[in-house]
Amino acid sequence: MKRSWIVTIVSIVVIVPMLLLLVSIKENKAEQQAINAVPDIKKLEPRSSEWGKYFPRQYDSYMKTSKSDEIKDVLKSSPALVVMWAGYGFAKDYNAPRGHYYALEDNINTLRTGAPVDDKSGPMPTACWTCKSPDVPRVMDKNGELDYFTGKWARLGGEIVNTIGCADCHDNKTMKLSATRPYLERGLDAEGSLKYAEATHQEMRTLVCAQCHVEYYFKKTEWNDKGVKKTAGVVTLPWDNGFSAEQIEKYYDDRDFSDWKHAISKTPMLKAQHPGYEMFVTGVHGKQGLSCADCHMPYVREGGVKYSNHQVGSPLDNIGNTCLNCHQGTEKEFRATIERKLERKNELSGIAMDVLAKAHLEAGKAWELGATEAEMRPALQDLRHAQWRWDYSIASHGSFFHAPEETLRVLGSAINKGQEARLKLRTVLAKYKAADYVVPDFSTKEKAQQVVGLPFDTLVQEKKSFLSGLRQQWIEAGKSKGIYDPKSRAEMKFKTSYN
């Protein structure tokens, strides 16, 4: 009798856990099958919450990009930038990037996009929406790429109403990664080292990010719209010669292209955008075959389900599940290494910014004293190249980590070019008896804005009028068209560097 009880108890101890395990496996398989099923999502559906019904883990993790909500006023910490960008939008307002959750809102709120009062006013073209919303490929698909790139930024305010989301990177039928901006394929094919049509899944885990995190410019392109001649500003990647700072610099020089003429030095300037992909492919991570997603969207396992964490952000926020998968040492040691790399980059970047701001002001003084274009041209060419190289080396996020050697090399060449420009300008100033000229104080954001004559208070008031007026009409237009996703702004607070 006693023996039969022992057998029964042992059987229960063994069998029950096995049954629970089988149930768990069955449930996980069912869940995995549900995940793998093809969902019913419209082509280029811009509302990410619709995708989230089928992919709740990915959607919930994406929504956590809202936690990256701090506003960092870069002009305040580096006032030399106001002088370097005089006459260009970035002198008005420039903050460190926040989470993808805020991409569209920050584009709308920044002083750079101005304060339009209708669909034909404002300083920026429609191209300034391009990296901010899944509504962009939807509008391109509906009206054509050239139509999308034509006109003022405000023209599409009632169409571009959702921030970066699922439709930017995924095919709605297969869920495969898909680059939805056609200029990426054109740029890759022109460069030649990787044809878009031949890209592997692992390469696509970088290329969908490269739709936005690249250098680009707005190429003027004439087209015919039902008998009416129009000009589009098409986003174009300047990769024909290659990815390096010098190769892209040559591309722009050969076309005599400039983003703007500097308000003080009158230099035809270049503004680097986000050359993250270009820097990444020159660094050790790119050369070892890693992708952006490997470090910025690491895989997560919940029970029997494995998925990619869509809380895109710095791998340093999750070192144990990202960097230390490959690197040795402790988290503390790894952080110390990264901080040292950042210090080196910041040290050289600070020197470059001081040199460049002074060079612009010295050029302005030379013009004021009557210098001729022939006298100024060699110095201004050095100044153009110096600022481009400085910008290229720091404008992409994490360049000091992705490609530290290349970042420091390019920053060094920027300082050298900037100093050459200052030497030439000093010769011009000496000719006009101003060799001892001392540049005005630009040590704070306010002082720098005064030096360049920026009407900051007026710009802020105009922006606030826009936000309470036309901006509200855009949201209502999005709602009436059934494309606006209210969940994308449900917990959003209004934050800028000027309110």
Side-chain angles (χ1 to χ4, degrees):
M1 183 67 180
K2 186 176 179 181
R3 184 178 179 186
S4 65
W5 270 106
I6 292 173
V7 171
T8 302
I9 292 171
V10 170
S11 299
I12 291 173
V13 169
V14 173
I15 293 172
V16 169
M18 289 184 67
L19 288 173
L20 291 174
L21 178 62
L22 288 172
V23 170
S24 175
I25 292 172
K26 188 175 181 181
E27 288 178 347
N28 286 332
K29 282 185 176 179
E31 189 173 12
Q32 191 66 57
Q33 287 174 350
I35 290 172
N36 293 336
V38 177
D40 182 18
I41 300 174
K42 289 192 301 184
K43 180 184 178 183
L44 297 172
E45 169 60 73
R47 297 168 298 178
S48 293
S49 61
E50 292 297 309
W51 299 66
K53 293 175 181 176
Y54 301 93
F55 304 98
R57 288 181 174 80
Q58 289 85 346
Y59 177 71
D60 290 346
S61 60
Y62 162 77
M63 292 297 282
K64 290 179 181 176
T65 61
S66 63
K67 292 183 176 180
S68 174
D69 70 338
E70 185 180 355
I71 293 287
K72 295 180 181 177
D73 185 348
V74 181
L75 298 182
K76 188 174 183 179
S77 59
S78 300
L81 295 174
V82 176
V83 178
M84 292 162 60
W85 289 327
Y88 199 54
F90 280 81
K92 303 175 186 176
D93 190 12
Y94 178 49
N95 303 319
R98 301 197 288 172
H100 279 173
Y101 181 81
Y102 300 101
L104 185 70
E105 194 69 9
D106 287 349
N107 178 269
I108 291 168
N109 293 341
T110 179
L111 299 178
R112 294 200 303 275
T113 48
V117 296
D118 56 33
D119 63 358
K120 295 182 175 61
S121 58
M124 309 306 286
T126 56
C128 288
W129 294 111
T130 305
C131 290
K132 309 302 181 187
S133 171
D135 286 304
V136 170
R138 180 184 60 78
V139 173
M140 283 184 179
D141 185 66
K142 176 183 175 185
N143 300 330
E145 186 184 5
L146 290 174
D147 181 87
Y148 165 79
F149 281 121
T150 299
K152 293 285 188 179
W153 176 74
R155 181 174 72 88
L156 296 176
E159 288 282 356
I160 313 297
V161 293
N162 299 290
T163 194
I164 294 170
C166 311
D168 283 308
C169 303
H170 290 280
D171 181 277
N172 65 305
K173 294 294 184 186
T174 64
M175 295 303 129
K176 287 184 177 179
L177 292 171
S178 175
T180 50
R181 273 64 165 182
Y183 54 78
L184 178 67
E185 181 173 352
R186 293 195 293 264
L188 280 173
D189 290 351
E191 196 277 334
S193 59
L194 171 63
K195 298 292 185 183
Y196 179 81
E198 299 169 1
T200 64
H201 174 68
Q202 175 68 354
E203 289 164 338
M204 287 301 296
R205 298 176 79 224
T206 291
L207 292 181
V208 291
C209 306
Q211 295 181 97
C212 298
H213 295 270
V214 290
E215 165 61 12
Y216 58 83
Y217 73 110
F218 305 153
K219 183 178 181 180
K220 290 184 178 179
T221 307
E222 293 187 351
W223 64 291
N224 191 305
D225 182 16
K226 300 174 183 175
V228 180
K229 288 185 178 179
K230 294 184 177 179
T231 301
V234 179
V235 168
T236 302
L237 311 187
W239 292 350
D240 290 24
N241 303 325
F243 295 132
S244 75
E246 291 84 353
Q247 289 167 325
I248 296 176
E249 178 183 279
K250 184 177 186 305
Y251 176 97
Y252 286 137
D253 283 353
D254 288 347
R255 289 157 180 78
D256 197 25
F257 173 81
S258 61
D259 286 293
W260 91 104
K261 178 177 279 191
H262 196 276
I264 296 173
S265 69
K266 300 181 183 178
T267 307
M269 300 298 297
L270 299 170
K271 176 71 191 79
Q273 307 304 328
H274 318 284
Y277 178 75
E278 295 91 330
M279 292 295 280
F280 171 74
V281 297
T282 68
V284 64
H285 293 96
K287 291 185 183 302
Q288 290 297 316
L290 270 71
S291 70
C292 301
D294 285 323
C295 304
H296 294 275
M297 303 174 67
Y299 285 112
V300 177
R301 184 173 289 282
E302 288 182 9
V305 179
K306 179 183 175 184
Y307 68 98
S308 176
N309 184 352
H310 281 52
Q311 187 181 357
V312 182
S314 171
L316 300 182
D317 296 334
N318 189 15
I319 288 178
N321 199 33
T322 53
C323 312
L324 297 187
N325 282 334
C326 300
H327 294 275
Q328 295 182 338
T330 66
E331 181 173 329
K332 183 179 179 181
E333 292 168 342
F334 192 80
R335 284 191 184 280
T337 300
I338 299 306
E339 286 172 5
R340 184 65 187 124
K341 289 177 185 288
L342 182 59
E343 286 174 2
R344 290 169 177 152
K345 187 270 290 182
N346 286 342
E347 181 180 346
L348 288 188
S349 179
I351 294 171
M353 287 190 287
D354 186 64
V355 168
L356 289 162
K358 288 176 177 174
H360 282 296
L361 294 170
E362 289 162 347
K365 185 65 176 178
W367 285 118
E368 181 185 318
L369 294 172
T372 66
E373 289 195 12
E375 291 170 336
M376 296 292 286
R377 191 173 300 116
L380 299 190
Q381 183 72 348
D382 284 343
L383 185 50
R384 166 184 164 95
H385 288 168
Q387 185 154 323
W388 156 253
R389 295 179 187 196
W390 162 81
D391 210 351
Y392 176 92
S393 66
I394 61 94
S396 68
H397 314 317
S399 61
F400 72 96
F401 184 82
H402 293 148
E405 296 87 358
E406 182 68 359
T407 299
L408 299 182
R409 183 191 74 80
V410 179
L411 272 174
S413 74
I415 294 171
N416 186 45
K417 284 282 182 183
Q419 293 289 23
E420 288 179 7
R422 292 194 70 193
L423 283 173
K424 290 171 184 173
L425 288 167
R426 281 291 157 181
T427 302
V428 177
L429 287 170
K431 180 180 178 180
Y432 290 91
K433 304 186 186 310
D436 57 351
Y437 170 69
V438 177
V439 300
D441 183 4
F442 57 86
S443 59
T444 68
K445 176 181 174 180
E446 291 73 21
K447 289 178 179 177
Q449 289 178 335
Q450 190 172 8
V451 167
V452 305
L454 187 79
F456 184 73
D457 292 339
T458 300
L459 294 173
V460 171
Q461 289 306 313
E462 290 174 349
K463 192 71 182 186
K464 289 182 176 178
S465 296
F466 155 75
L467 292 172
S468 62
L470 184 60
R471 161 64 173 154
Q472 300 306 313
Q473 296 177 29
W474 291 355
I475 293 177
E476 293 306 315
K479 289 178 180 176
S480 67
K481 294 171 184 172
I483 56 175
Y484 176 71
D485 186 353
K487 291 184 179 179
S488 67
R489 288 191 179 84
E491 299 179 3
M492 192 174 292
K493 296 178 181 177
F494 180 71
K495 286 187 178 181
T496 70
S497 61
Y498 56 82
N499 71 327

